[in-house]
């Protein structure tokens, strides 16, 4: 199985929750990722490309490979910080 996802990585849970509210109100995921994400993928709107299970940390994989596609999930805490994750597709 492979999936394609994008994410926004921040250090504070309250910021992640604030960004999630903005997304629920119609903000563009890629625009917020470019502005706020601490991950190098932020420059690409948070796009992580395609990957297989086991390539990301477990908490991240659990969202990407088990939760609904095209919905924003999170904040998900990992050793890197707090993620908002949107799975674009899975196959």
């Amino acid at each position: 199985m492979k999936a394609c996802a994008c994410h926004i990585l921040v250090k504070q849970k309250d910021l992640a929750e604030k960004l999630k509210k903005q997304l629920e109100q119609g903000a563009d995921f890629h625009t917020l990722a470019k502005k706020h994400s601490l991950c190098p993928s932020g420059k690409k709107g948070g796009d992580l490309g395609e990957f297989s299970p086991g390539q990301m940390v477990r908490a991240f994989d659990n969202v990407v490979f088990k939760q609904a596609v095209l919905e924003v999930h999170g904040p998900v805490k990992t050793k890197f910080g707090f993620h908002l994750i949107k799975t674009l597709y899975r196959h």
Side-chain angles (χ1 to χ4, degrees):
M1 184 184 294
K2 287 195 179 284
C4 181
C6 51
H7 78 138
I8 299 172
L9 172 65
V10 295
K11 286 287 183 211
Q12 302 90 4
K13 185 176 185 181
D14 59 338
L15 177 56
E17 289 169 348
K18 188 173 126 191
L19 293 173
K20 188 171 185 179
K21 279 199 180 87
Q22 289 179 30
L23 291 166
E24 288 166 356
Q25 293 166 356
D28 180 67
F29 193 98
H30 301 289
T31 302
L32 288 183
K34 284 178 183 172
K35 188 172 178 183
H36 297 282
S37 187
L38 301 173
C39 180
S41 69
K43 292 183 182 73
K44 298 182 286 185
D47 191 351
L48 295 167
E50 196 173 82
F51 53 92
S52 302
Q55 287 185 264
M56 302 291 176
V57 293
R58 180 174 286 139
F60 204 93
D61 270 4
N62 284 343
V63 170
V64 172
F65 292 100
K66 296 178 181 171
Q67 302 292 327
V69 174
L70 296 177
E71 286 181 20
V72 177
H73 299 280
V76 176
K77 187 175 185 348
T78 70
K79 64 183 177 183
F80 302 106
F82 293 91
H83 306 260
L84 295 178
I85 305 168
K86 185 175 182 180
T87 306
L88 304 178
Y89 64 81
R90 239 187 340 248
H91 60 83

